[in-house]
Coordinates of all heavy atoms in Angstrom, one line a residue:
A1 N -6.7 115.3 -52.9 CA -8.0 115.4 -52.1 C -9.0 116.3 -52.8 O -10.2 115.9 -52.8 CB -7.6 115.9 -50.7
T2 N -8.5 117.3 -53.4 CA -9.5 118.2 -54.1 C -10.1 117.5 -55.3 O -11.3 117.5 -55.6 CB -8.7 119.5 -54.6 OG1 -8.2 120.1 -53.5 CG2 -9.6 120.4 -55.3
R3 N -9.2 116.7 -56.0 CA -9.7 116.0 -57.2 C -10.7 115.0 -56.7 O -11.8 114.8 -57.4 CB -8.5 115.2 -57.9 CG -8.9 114.4 -59.1 CD -7.8 113.6 -59.6 NE -6.7 114.4 -60.0 CZ -5.5 114.4 -59.4 NH1 -5.2 113.7 -58.4 NH2 -4.5 115.2 -59.9
Q4 N -10.5 114.2 -55.6 CA -11.4 113.2 -55.1 C -12.7 113.9 -54.7 O -13.8 113.3 -55.0 CB -10.8 112.5 -54.0 CG -11.6 111.3 -53.5 CD -11.8 110.3 -54.6 OE1 -10.8 109.8 -55.2 NE2 -13.0 109.9 -54.9
Y5 N -12.6 115.0 -54.1 CA -13.9 115.7 -53.6 C -14.7 116.1 -54.8 O -15.9 115.8 -54.9 CB -13.5 117.0 -52.9 CG -14.6 117.9 -52.5 CD1 -15.5 117.6 -51.5 CD2 -14.9 119.1 -53.3 CE1 -16.6 118.4 -51.2 CE2 -15.9 119.9 -53.0 CZ -16.8 119.5 -51.9 OH -17.9 120.3 -51.6
Y6 N -14.1 116.7 -55.9 CA -14.9 117.0 -57.0 C -15.4 115.8 -57.8 O -16.5 115.8 -58.3 CB -14.1 117.9 -58.0 CG -14.0 119.3 -57.6 CD1 -12.8 120.0 -57.4 CD2 -15.1 120.1 -57.4 CE1 -12.7 121.3 -57.1 CE2 -15.0 121.4 -57.0 CZ -13.8 122.0 -56.9 OH -13.7 123.3 -56.5
Q7 N -14.6 114.7 -57.8 CA -15.0 113.5 -58.5 C -16.2 112.9 -57.8 O -17.1 112.4 -58.5 CB -13.8 112.5 -58.6 CG -14.1 111.3 -59.5 CD -14.3 111.7 -60.9 OE1 -13.5 112.5 -61.5 NE2 -15.4 111.2 -61.5
D8 N -16.2 112.9 -56.5 CA -17.3 112.3 -55.7 C -18.6 113.1 -56.1 O -19.7 112.6 -56.3 CB -17.0 112.4 -54.2 CG -16.0 111.4 -53.8 OD1 -15.6 110.5 -54.6 OD2 -15.5 111.5 -52.6
Q9 N -18.4 114.5 -56.1 CA -19.6 115.3 -56.4 C -20.1 115.0 -57.9 O -21.3 115.0 -58.1 CB -19.2 116.8 -56.3 CG -18.8 117.2 -54.9 CD -19.9 116.9 -53.8 OE1 -21.1 117.1 -54.1 NE2 -19.5 116.2 -52.8
L10 N -19.1 114.9 -58.8 CA -19.5 114.6 -60.2 C -20.2 113.3 -60.3 O -21.2 113.1 -61.0 CB -18.3 114.6 -61.1 CG -18.5 114.3 -62.5 CD1 -19.3 115.4 -63.2 CD2 -17.2 114.2 -63.3
N11 N -19.7 112.3 -59.6 CA -20.3 110.9 -59.6 C -21.7 111.0 -59.0 O -22.6 110.3 -59.6 CB -19.5 109.9 -58.9 CG -18.2 109.6 -59.6 OD1 -18.1 109.9 -60.8 ND2 -17.2 109.1 -58.9
Q12 N -22.0 111.8 -58.0 CA -23.3 111.9 -57.4 C -24.2 112.5 -58.5 O -25.4 112.1 -58.7 CB -23.3 112.7 -56.2 CG -22.7 112.0 -55.0 CD -22.7 112.8 -53.7 OE1 -23.0 114.0 -53.7 NE2 -22.3 112.2 -52.6
Q13 N -23.8 113.6 -59.1 CA -24.6 114.3 -60.1 C -24.9 113.3 -61.3 O -26.0 113.3 -61.8 CB -23.9 115.5 -60.7 CG -23.9 116.7 -59.7 CD -23.3 117.9 -60.4 OE1 -23.3 118.1 -61.6 NE2 -22.8 118.8 -59.6
H14 N -23.9 112.5 -61.7 CA -24.0 111.6 -62.8 C -25.1 110.6 -62.4 O -25.9 110.2 -63.3 CB -22.7 110.9 -63.1 CG -22.8 110.0 -64.2 ND1 -22.9 108.6 -64.1 CD2 -22.8 110.2 -65.6 CE1 -22.9 108.0 -65.2 NE2 -22.9 108.9 -66.2
A15 N -25.0 110.0 -61.2 CA -26.0 109.0 -60.8 C -27.4 109.6 -60.9 O -28.4 109.0 -61.3 CB -25.7 108.5 -59.4
T16 N -27.6 110.8 -60.4 CA -28.9 111.5 -60.4 C -29.4 111.7 -61.8 O -30.5 111.4 -62.1 CB -28.8 112.8 -59.6 OG1 -28.4 112.5 -58.2 CG2 -30.2 113.5 -59.6
A17 N -28.5 112.3 -62.6 CA -28.9 112.6 -64.0 C -29.2 111.3 -64.8 O -30.2 111.3 -65.6 CB -27.7 113.3 -64.7
S18 N -28.5 110.2 -64.5 CA -28.7 109.0 -65.2 C -30.1 108.4 -64.8 O -30.9 108.0 -65.7 CB -27.6 108.0 -64.9 OG -27.8 106.7 -65.5
R19 N -30.4 108.5 -63.5 CA -31.7 108.0 -63.0 C -32.8 108.9 -63.6 O -33.8 108.4 -64.1 CB -31.7 108.0 -61.5 CG -32.9 107.5 -60.9 CD -32.8 107.4 -59.3 NE -32.3 108.6 -58.7 CZ -31.0 108.7 -58.2 NH1 -30.2 107.8 -58.3 NH2 -30.7 109.9 -57.6
N20 N -32.6 110.2 -63.6 CA -33.6 111.1 -64.1 C -33.8 110.8 -65.6 O -35.0 110.9 -66.1 CB -33.2 112.6 -63.9 CG -33.4 113.0 -62.4 OD1 -34.0 112.3 -61.7 ND2 -32.7 114.0 -62.1
L21 N -32.8 110.6 -66.3 CA -32.9 110.3 -67.8 C -33.7 109.1 -68.0 O -34.6 109.0 -68.9 CB -31.5 110.2 -68.4 CG -31.5 109.9 -69.9 CD1 -32.2 110.9 -70.7 CD2 -30.0 109.7 -70.4
K22 N -33.4 108.0 -67.2 CA -34.0 106.7 -67.4 C -35.6 106.9 -67.2 O -36.3 106.4 -68.0 CB -33.5 105.8 -66.4 CG -34.1 104.4 -66.4 CD -33.5 103.5 -65.4 CE -34.1 102.1 -65.3 NZ -33.4 101.3 -64.3
F23 N -36.0 107.6 -66.2 CA -37.4 107.8 -65.9 C -38.0 108.8 -66.9 O -39.2 108.5 -67.3 CB -37.6 108.3 -64.5 CG -37.4 107.2 -63.5 CD1 -36.4 107.4 -62.5 CD2 -38.1 106.0 -63.5 CE1 -36.1 106.4 -61.6 CE2 -37.9 105.0 -62.5 CZ -36.9 105.2 -61.6
A24 N -37.3 109.8 -67.3 CA -37.9 110.7 -68.3 C -38.1 110.1 -69.6 O -39.2 110.3 -70.3 CB -36.9 111.9 -68.5
V25 N -37.2 109.2 -70.1 CA -37.3 108.5 -71.3 C -38.5 107.6 -71.3 O -39.3 107.5 -72.2 CB -36.0 107.8 -71.7 CG1 -36.2 106.9 -72.9 CG2 -35.0 108.9 -72.1
A26 N -38.6 106.8 -70.2 CA -39.7 105.9 -70.0 C -41.0 106.6 -69.9 O -42.0 106.2 -70.5 CB -39.4 105.0 -68.8
R27 N -41.1 107.7 -69.2 CA -42.3 108.4 -69.0 C -42.8 109.0 -70.3 O -44.0 109.1 -70.6 CB -42.1 109.5 -67.9 CG -43.3 110.3 -67.6 CD -43.1 111.3 -66.4 NE -41.9 112.2 -66.7 CZ -40.8 112.2 -66.0 NH1 -40.6 111.3 -65.0 NH2 -39.8 113.0 -66.2
S28 N -41.9 109.4 -71.2 CA -42.3 110.0 -72.4 C -42.5 109.0 -73.5 O -42.9 109.4 -74.7 CB -41.2 111.1 -72.9 OG -40.0 110.4 -73.1
G29 N -42.2 107.7 -73.3 CA -42.5 106.7 -74.3 C -41.3 106.6 -75.3 O -41.5 106.1 -76.4
L30 N -40.2 107.2 -75.0 CA -39.1 107.2 -75.9 C -38.0 106.1 -75.6 O -37.0 106.1 -76.3 CB -38.4 108.6 -75.9 CG -39.2 109.8 -76.2 CD1 -38.5 111.1 -76.0 CD2 -39.7 109.7 -77.7
A31 N -38.4 105.2 -74.7 CA -37.4 104.1 -74.4 C -37.1 103.3 -75.6 O -38.0 102.9 -76.3 CB -38.0 103.3 -73.2
G32 N -35.8 103.0 -75.8 CA -35.3 102.2 -76.8 C -35.2 102.9 -78.2 O -34.8 102.3 -79.2
G33 N -35.6 104.2 -78.2 CA -35.5 104.9 -79.5 C -34.2 105.7 -79.6 O -33.3 105.7 -78.8
S34 N -34.2 106.4 -80.7 CA -33.0 107.2 -81.0 C -32.8 108.4 -80.1 O -31.7 108.8 -79.8 CB -33.0 107.7 -82.5 OG -34.1 108.6 -82.6
E35 N -33.9 108.9 -79.5 CA -33.9 110.0 -78.6 C -33.2 109.5 -77.3 O -32.4 110.3 -76.7 CB -35.3 110.6 -78.3 CG -35.2 111.7 -77.3 CD -34.6 113.0 -77.9 OE1 -34.5 113.1 -79.1 OE2 -34.0 113.8 -77.1
Q36 N -33.5 108.3 -76.9 CA -32.8 107.8 -75.7 C -31.3 107.7 -75.9 O -30.5 108.0 -75.1 CB -33.4 106.4 -75.3 CG -32.7 105.9 -74.1 CD -33.2 104.5 -73.7 OE1 -34.0 103.9 -74.4 NE2 -32.8 104.0 -72.5
L37 N -31.0 107.2 -77.1 CA -29.5 107.0 -77.5 C -28.8 108.4 -77.5 O -27.7 108.5 -77.0 CB -29.4 106.3 -78.8 CG -28.0 106.0 -79.3 CD1 -27.3 105.1 -78.3 CD2 -28.0 105.4 -80.6
D38 N -29.5 109.4 -78.1 CA -28.9 110.7 -78.2 C -28.7 111.3 -76.8 O -27.7 111.9 -76.5 CB -29.9 111.7 -79.0 CG -29.9 111.3 -80.5 OD1 -29.0 110.6 -80.9 OD2 -30.8 111.8 -81.1
Q39 N -29.7 111.1 -75.9 CA -29.6 111.7 -74.6 C -28.5 110.9 -73.8 O -27.8 111.5 -73.0 CB -31.0 111.6 -73.9 CG -32.0 112.5 -74.4 CD -31.6 114.0 -74.3 OE1 -31.0 114.4 -73.3 NE2 -31.8 114.7 -75.4

């Protein structure tokens, strides 16, 4: 149960970070470039 609780929290953070990364890369004009791949 503890593992599942932390995993759920991690997955929520991952979804938020992934979404933020997608928009940050697009906003900065780095979409499709090496910086996007690095991030």
Side-chain angles (χ1 to χ4, degrees):
T2 302
R3 179 185 303 112
Q4 187 61 51
Y5 172 75
Y6 281 125
Q7 189 64 48
D8 289 348
Q9 298 303 314
L10 179 66
N11 289 341
Q12 286 178 353
Q13 285 188 25
H14 181 261
T16 300
S18 182
R19 185 174 47 255
N20 287 342
L21 177 60
K22 179 180 179 179
F23 288 119
V25 168
R27 184 174 51 249
S28 64
L30 299 172
S34 63
E35 183 65 26
Q36 180 182 9
L37 183 60
D38 290 345
Q39 292 300 319

